[in-house]
Amino acid sequence: MYDGTVRFYVMDPNDPVLAFYRRAFPGVFQDLNQLSADLKMHLRYPEDLFSIQADQYTTFHMTVPQVYYNREDLWVLPNETYAGKGRAHGVLLHPDETPEQPARVPPS
């Protein structure tokens, strides 16, 4: 039963900022493996971080220096919306996994 308690879980144990916070506030941050499986199903990738990374990939996906220098293969992220919503959400299924995991994917 929910009692209003707030818990913080560590997604990236190698994050130096988080390491500082863990030392400053011992006992506040718990390892992600302590999060129940039911709640783990609801974790989502932050939309702002996704947008920044998708924007960077429009340029930095190019692997040939001349193509990169001439900006010959720039990707453009569309501005279309679907049913009044922003970027698309898809369901990705890794071949080795059985549960479907909702994932944010850049529109094509």
Side-chain angles (χ1 to χ4, degrees), residues 39-95:
L39 288 178
K40 276 187 186 178
M41 290 175 43
H42 295 281
L43 294 177
R44 299 288 180 263
Y45 199 74
E47 187 171 348
D48 291 341
L49 181 57
F50 173 79
S51 294
I52 291 167
Q53 289 176 333
D55 185 54
Q56 293 301 308
Y57 278 123
T58 61
T59 301
F60 295 106
H61 70 280
M62 295 178 260
T63 57
V64 178
Q66 184 175 353
V67 172
Y68 172 78
Y69 180 78
N70 292 326
R71 307 270 198 228
E72 295 174 14
D73 189 25
L74 287 176
W75 289 347
V76 177
L77 298 176
N79 293 321
E80 294 98 16
T81 59
Y82 177 74
K85 298 181 181 177
R87 294 204 171 156
H89 289 78
V91 176
L92 299 180
L93 185 59
H94 190 274

Side-chain angles (χ1 to χ4, degrees), residues 18-33:
L18 182 58
F20 170 79
Y21 278 118
R22 289 185 94 172
R23 284 192 306 273
F25 305 102
V28 172
F29 298 93
Q30 301 175 24
D31 290 330
L32 189 60
N33 61 9

Side-chain angles (χ1 to χ4, degrees), residues 7-11 22 27-32 34-35:
R7 293 177 183 88
F8 297 95
Y9 294 94
V10 176
M11 298 287 288
R22 289 185 94 172
V28 172
F29 298 93
Q30 301 175 24
D31 290 330
L32 189 60
Q34 295 178 348
L35 182 64

